[in-house]
Amino acid sequence: VFLLSVCHVVLVVSDGLQDLRMWRLLHTVDIILPYMPGSASAVPAGHSTSQGVEGAAVLEHQADAVFISSRVPQEECCWRHVHRTAQALESLLAGTSFTRS
């Protein structure tokens, strides 16, 4: 949660899409991130704040997540597989703040 609230880009590296613990963690981060408290003095230039839970100012910034799969077999390094992986990521992250509108 902290890295997504202070960095511009966060690399999410996994051995594949089947890592369920990673997806649970990302969904938990998605739930917690909007409520990361921040003070007006801690808000960088160009970012705004809004009122969150119990009137605390929350930072309206989230890093871009870049998903990297390591140990991908050679036969899966083709455009068809890349397209299927992108579709799987879209479906796994649907309704979260990790998707762009």
Side-chain angles (χ1 to χ4, degrees):
V1 175
F2 176 72
L3 289 177
L4 286 169
S5 65
V6 298
C7 296
H8 291 284
V9 177
V10 173
L11 301 178
V12 180
V13 182
S14 69
D15 285 338
L17 295 177
Q18 64 274 11
D19 188 355
L20 294 178
R21 290 181 303 160
M22 179 187 68
W23 297 116
R24 286 189 199 117
L25 177 63
L26 287 174
H27 279 283
T28 302
V29 166
D30 189 57
I31 293 168
I32 295 171
L33 190 61
Y35 302 105
M36 282 294 293
S39 65
S41 62
V43 177
H47 291 83
S48 60
T49 61
S50 63
Q51 296 302 319
V53 175
E54 299 175 11
V58 293
L59 187 61
E60 290 181 346
H61 165 77
Q62 180 175 338
D64 290 327
V66 176
F67 294 90
I68 300 171
S69 290
S70 62
R71 301 180 187 168
V72 176
Q74 177 92 20
E75 59 273 3
E76 292 183 7
C77 294
C78 64
W79 286 112
R80 183 174 39 95
H81 182 72
V82 169
H83 182 68
R84 280 195 319 225
T85 301
Q87 288 178 327
L89 278 173
E90 282 182 29
S91 108
L92 286 168
L93 298 174
T96 68
S97 61
F98 292 103
T99 57
R100 294 184 185 239
S101 42

